[in-house]
Every structure is written in structure tokens, then in C-alpha cells.
């Protein structure tokens, strides 16, 4: 019996969990990971905050998976440009879309397109050294930044903007980005949510970090904190929310010494919905409507308005996956239309491409297990002609003169980044463009 041949498009967590599941369930598969950039690991490299190096250690496990027999990496290969999705479906027994949700959901309010307003995907991509956003060049010459959103990404943006150079020394914040952030005159970062503190989507680990900043104090309005959570909030969800509220209680009553000694502030503003970005030529402020939350959980405006003046706005209100020709997209969820992970025929989706942007890094493990089971069962019951798979993709890319990067090339690039770290504390200094990456790898031998 021939070996099942699978192409996994995307090398982030959902992609690697799918590969791992295939190795466990499919006997002796041939799995090719196809990545648009030379660098693997998706949001671990370009989405996880640069000061969260412990979280990034998961790439050690992914690297072991990439080294397994039958697994290959094709970096610097763009599906839709270098090879079509239709071609991959002909080359492989199954194709898995593991492309995450890399695009920002856009707020539909007047002024959202003014200079100085950024989506969190592009802003986080910029401070993480993603090649797509290296030229973003945000103007941080402002004393106040508004971050719209009440999830971990909003907190990440706020924390990175107010941490001192010493606090970021052990991060992989790129040098050119660090120069811009640490020179900025930012005094306040205002994190704004439509709902109240009890509904915020922060994980408590991230929220607690905001208590221990060297040069910044976090502040919550005491009147925004609820006396108790609604009875309908139960179980684990209730425990998580209660922990967050306990943490925020300390933010509502910071000590006088904390406030007096702080150079910067992170202000949490709840019950506020953005209605317009203000400014002549570029952003100068955001107009908000005060909100209230009904017993049933719906949010409604109160008719009371206020303005926060600022010179930079970052919206962290969600993401959507990328589109592929011939693949239906669900605008509501921000995901690819699928049924339990199957998109159509031999095409599958995992992770945020399947579910929309929700959950933590490990949430995609189950998706990988389910899709690997479906592929195994389909391959066992169907009389499939022998597919060219790996060798067919290599021939196609070579014929089109695509300079693809294998995992050994990535390891060479990885070593070069580590070697050029600015200090012994820093884990690496990233190359910020594809051209720089390919130059660091050098010509392929043979």
C-alpha cells in the first residue's frame, strides 16, 4: 500500500500539531509543510510578544517534528503565486490549510483610515519583525496611545509600549523597532473595551504582568468594577473572571508611591464604544459612546459621549483568515467554511483557519487530531491513484525557479540570528526582510 501524501499549508502551531497528529495516526506518511516566508513557526515568531520568550520555547517541540522521517519543509513558497491550491490538491492525497488568521478585522467607523490608525496584526507584526510590516513606520511621537480591544493582544501592545529598555533586554524586539519605541514620548496607553471588567478576555497571567512594570502603573476606575458577577456566569469561566477582577482591584487602588514613581500609565477604560476617529490629516483623538450591558448580556449605547485625545490608535478587535481561490470564506467567523475541518474533498482546515481567531496556542491540537483521523479513514477506504507528492512539488518549484528554503536552511538562518544578538541577554536579532534572510542562508550547495 502506498504512503499517504499530505501538504500542510502554514507552519504555525496549527500546522505543526496537524503534522504531529498525522505522524501518529497515518502509519508512515509523507508530509510537506509549505510556508510563504523563509521562517517557520507562524504566530510564535511573529505574533507572540517579544518579551514572552517562555511561550516561544514551544518551537523546540515543533523543530523535533520537522526533523521526523517523512517530513519536509518548503519555506519561501507562496500558495497562489508560486503554486496554486488546485495544483497541490492534484499532487497530494490531502491538503491542510493551517494559515491562521493573519488579517485584521476592521472597525467600521468614520475616520478609521486616517494615518496613525493601525490594526493589531500589522502593529504586532511590525514590533515582531515580520517582513510584511518592516516598512510600517508608525509615528510614535505622541504622549498618548489608544488601544481598542479587551483581549491579550491589547495588553501585549500596551505592555511593549511602556516597558523600559532594561525590561525588554531579554526579548527579541528588533533593534530598529526598539530604538523607535524607547525614544517615543509616550506617557499614557489607554486600553478601551465596550464591556465591563468582568467580560474582558485577558488571561490572568497576562493581566498580572501589568502589576510589575518598572516604569508604568496600571489603573482601573473603581466605579467600573462590579460588586459581583451575574449568576449565569458559572464554572471555570466564573473562576477566570473572578481572578481577573481580583487583579484589577489592585489597579483600582494603586499606592501613592506607585503613581508618584511611575513615568507612564496604562489606563483601562471600560464601557466605551468607539464611534469616530478624529483629526485633520491624521489621528488626533477618538470619540466614544458610553455603554451599558443588559442582564441578557447585550451592549447598548447610553447616548453619552466623550473624547480621548491621542496621536496613535491600535485596534485589537479580532482577525480573519486569508482567502484562497475557489474556497468559500465565512465573513462572520473570519474562518474558511468547513464541516468539522473538511472544506471540500481532499481539502481540510485546522486552527484559526477552521475555527476563527479563538483559543490559545494549544487549542489547535484537537483540530490536528480530528483532521488526521479523517485523512487516515479517507485514504484507507478510497482507491487512490499514486500521487507525486513531495517529488512532484520539488520538480514543479525547480521548473519555476522558486528559491524554496528547507529546514536545514532555516536552521542556518536561525543560528545567524542568534549569533547577531545585541547582547548576551537577547535570544536573537531577527533579519527583517526576505532578501536579508535569503542572503544569510546563502546559495544552496550542489
Amino acid at each position: 500500500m502506498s504512503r499517504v501524501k499530505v501538504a500542510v499549508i502554514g507552519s504555525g502551531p496549527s500546522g505543526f500539531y496537524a503534522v504531529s497528529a498525522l505522524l501518529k495516526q497515518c502509519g508512515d506518511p509523507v508530509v510537506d509543510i509549505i510556508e510563504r516566508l523563509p521562517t517557520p513557526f507562524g504566530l510564535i515568531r511573529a505574533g507572540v510578544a517579544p518579551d514572552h520568550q517562555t511561550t516561544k520555547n514551544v518551537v523546540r517541540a515543533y523543530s523535533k517534528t520537522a526533523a521526523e522521517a517523512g517530513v519536509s519543509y518548503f519555506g519561501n513558497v507562496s500558495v497562489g503565486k508560486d503554486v496554486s491550491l488546485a495544483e497541490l490538491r492534484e499532487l497530494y492525497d490531502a491538503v491542510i490549510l493551517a494559515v491562521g488568521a493573519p488579517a485584521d478585522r476592521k472597525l467600521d467607523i468614520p475616520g478609521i483610515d486616517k494615518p496613525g490608525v493601525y490594526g493589531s496584526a500589522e502593529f504586532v507584526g511590525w514590533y515582531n519583525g515580520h517582513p510584511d510590516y518592516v516598512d510600517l513606520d508608525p509615528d510614535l511621537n505622541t504622549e498618548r496611545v489608544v488601544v481598542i480591544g479587551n483581549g491579550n493582544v491589547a495588553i501585549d501592545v500596551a505592555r511593549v509600549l511602556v516597558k523600559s529598555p532594561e525590561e525588554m533586554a531579554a526579548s527579541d524586539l528588533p533593534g530598529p523597532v526598539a530604538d523607535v519605541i524607547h525614544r517615543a514620548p509616550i506617557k499614557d496607553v489607554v486600553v478601551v473595551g465596550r464591556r465591563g471588567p468582568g467580560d474582558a478576555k485577558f488571561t490572568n497571567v497576562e493581566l498580572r504582568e501589568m502589576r510589575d512594570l518598572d516604569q508604568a502603573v496600571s489603573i482601573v476606575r473603581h466605579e467600573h468594577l462590579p460588586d459581583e458577577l451575574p449568576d449565569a456566569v458559572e464554572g471555570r469561566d466564573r473562576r477566570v473572571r473572578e481572578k481577573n477582577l481580583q487583579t484589577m482591584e489592585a489597579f483600582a487602588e494603586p499606592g501613592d508611591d506607585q503613581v508618584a514613581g511611575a513615568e507612564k500609565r496604562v489606563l483601562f477604560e471600560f464601557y466605551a464604544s468607539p464611534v469616530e476617529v478624529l483629526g485633520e490629516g491624521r489621528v488626533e483623538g477618538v470619540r466614544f459612546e458610553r455603554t451599558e450591558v443588559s442582564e441578557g448580556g447585550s451592549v447598548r449605547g447610553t447616548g453619552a459621549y466623550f473624547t480621548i485625545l491621542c496621536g496613535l490608535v491600535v485596534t485589537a478587535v479580532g482577525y480573519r483568515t486569508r482567502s484562497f481561490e475557489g474556497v468559500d470564506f465565512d465573513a462572520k467567523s473570519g474562518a474558511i467554511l468547513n464541516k468539522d475541518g473538511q472544506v471540500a474533498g481532499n481539502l481540510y482546515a485546522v486552527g484559526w483557519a477552521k475555527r476563527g481567531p479563538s483559543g490559545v496556542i494549544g487549542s489547535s491540537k484537537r483540530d490536528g487530531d480530528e483532521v488526521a483521523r479523517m485523512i487516515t479513514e479517507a485514504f484507507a477506504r478510497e482507491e487512490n491513484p499514486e500521487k507525486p507528492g513531495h517529488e512532484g512539488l520539488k520538480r514543479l518549484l525547480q521548473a519555476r525557479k522558486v528559491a524554496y528554503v528547507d529546514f536545514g536552511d532555516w536552521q542556518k538562518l536561525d543560528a545567524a540570528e542568534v549569533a547577531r544578538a545585541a547582547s548576551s541577554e537577547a535570544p536573537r536579532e531577527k533579519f527583517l526582510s526576505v532578501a536579508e534572510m535569503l542572503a544569510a542562508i546563502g546559495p544552496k550547495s550542489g
Side-chain angles (χ1 to χ4, degrees):
M1 183 177 178
S2 62
R3 301 164 70 185
V4 61
K5 300 178 179 69
V6 184
V8 177
I9 303 173
S11 65
S14 64
F16 272 102
Y17 289 136
V19 175
S20 179
L22 288 165
L23 292 173
K24 291 174 183 175
Q25 297 187 42
C26 293
D28 185 25
V30 178
V31 185
D32 290 335
I33 304 168
I34 302 171
E35 168 59 50
R36 182 173 65 89
L37 296 175
T39 54
F41 309 135
L43 68 80
I44 302 298
R45 179 178 170 95
V48 172
D51 57 336
H52 280 184
Q53 290 299 308
T54 299
T55 303
K56 297 192 179 198
N57 285 339
V58 71
V59 302
R60 297 172 183 171
Y62 300 162
S63 295
K64 290 181 180 178
T65 299
E68 292 280 354
V71 178
S72 299
Y73 176 71
F74 287 85
N76 200 40
V77 176
S78 178
V79 176
K81 177 185 174 184
D82 298 319
V83 58
S84 72
L85 181 59
E87 286 173 323
L88 291 175
R89 293 183 67 182
E90 288 296 319
L91 288 170
Y92 292 87
D93 297 302
V95 177
I96 300 174
L97 298 172
V99 293
D104 281 296
R105 281 185 179 271
K106 192 172 181 179
L107 274 178
D108 185 17
I109 59 174
I112 198 66
D113 292 321
K114 288 185 185 294
V117 180
Y118 300 95
S120 57
E122 57 185 346
F123 195 77
V124 170
W126 169 70
Y127 70 54
N128 265 318
H130 192 295
D132 287 355
Y133 306 113
V134 66
D135 296 323
L136 192 69
D137 193 26
D139 183 357
L140 302 191
N141 186 28
T142 180
E143 291 192 353
R144 186 177 294 118
V145 176
V146 168
V147 181
I148 300 172
N150 259 188
N152 282 346
V153 175
I155 280 193
D156 285 345
V157 171
R159 191 183 65 253
V160 169
L161 288 176
V162 301
K163 270 194 168 184
S164 66
E166 292 74 22
E167 287 176 292
M168 295 300 288
S171 77
D172 60 358
L173 186 70
V177 173
D179 290 343
V180 172
I181 291 177
H182 297 319
R183 285 200 315 265
I186 296 169
K187 298 295 184 185
D188 291 342
V189 178
V190 189
V191 180
V192 187
R194 295 171 63 242
R195 296 175 175 271
D199 291 320
K201 300 301 183 183
F202 313 129
T203 58
N204 195 248
V205 171
E206 294 254 1
L207 195 59
R208 290 200 310 269
E209 282 187 82
M210 304 303 289
R211 300 179 308 186
D212 304 316
L213 302 171
D214 287 354
Q215 62 180 12
V217 62
S218 298
I219 299 174
V220 170
R221 291 193 193 199
H222 201 282
E223 63 267 27
H224 283 172
L225 293 171
D227 293 329
E228 58 183 19
L229 291 169
D231 292 339
V233 181
E234 299 176 330
R236 182 181 181 279
D237 185 31
R238 188 177 190 88
R239 292 191 297 273
V240 169
R241 296 193 194 197
E242 286 176 341
K243 282 184 179 180
N244 279 354
L245 291 174
Q246 289 170 7
T247 301
M248 283 188 268
E249 284 281 358
F251 297 168
E253 297 180 357
D256 293 339
D257 56 335
Q258 288 179 283
V259 176
E263 299 176 27
K264 303 174 187 290
R265 302 184 303 174
V266 177
L267 306 167
F268 290 86
E269 184 71 40
F270 297 100
Y271 301 110
S273 180
V275 294
E276 184 179 6
V277 177
L278 308 173
E280 294 295 330
R282 62 170 290 109
V283 61
E284 296 175 11
V286 184
R287 189 168 184 247
F288 292 91
E289 182 179 13
R290 189 61 71 189
T291 63
E292 58 186 14
V293 181
S294 70
E295 289 186 8
S298 62
V299 178
R300 57 183 175 232
T302 65
Y305 296 88
F306 67 99
T307 295
I308 300 177
L309 299 178
C310 63
L312 181 77
V313 174
V314 180
T315 62
V317 295
Y319 303 99
R320 55 184 176 81
T321 195
R322 60 167 291 194
S323 59
F324 290 89
E325 185 177 357
V327 176
D328 291 328
F329 176 78
D330 182 2
K332 184 176 180 181
S333 69
I336 290 166
L337 281 175
N338 67 92
K339 180 175 174 55
D340 300 325
Q342 185 171 29
V343 178
N346 69 341
L347 183 64
Y348 302 84
V350 292
W352 284 6
K354 170 196 172 187
R355 295 179 281 108
S358 63
V360 295
I361 291 169
S363 302
S364 295
K365 287 182 179 179
R366 182 177 176 181
D367 297 335
D369 290 338
E370 290 176 345
V371 164
R373 175 184 55 77
M374 294 168 73
I375 291 172
T376 302
E377 292 175 354
F379 189 72
R381 69 171 177 263
E382 295 174 6
E383 289 295 329
N384 294 307
E386 184 78 20
K387 296 287 187 81
H390 176 88
E391 293 303 323
L393 179 61
K394 279 182 67 175
R395 288 193 297 269
L396 187 151
L397 295 177
Q398 288 167 352
R400 294 176 181 175
K401 301 189 184 315
V402 177
Y404 65 87
V405 170
D406 63 28
F407 206 73
D409 293 329
W410 152 245
Q411 290 173 319
K412 184 176 179 180
L413 177 59
D414 180 37
E417 288 190 339
V418 171
R420 69 199 291 259
S423 70
S424 58
E425 292 180 88
R428 68 180 62 243
E429 179 64 37
K430 292 177 178 176
F431 293 102
L432 302 183
S433 71
V434 171
E436 286 180 319
M437 294 172 186
L438 297 180
I441 292 170
K444 287 182 178 287
S445 59

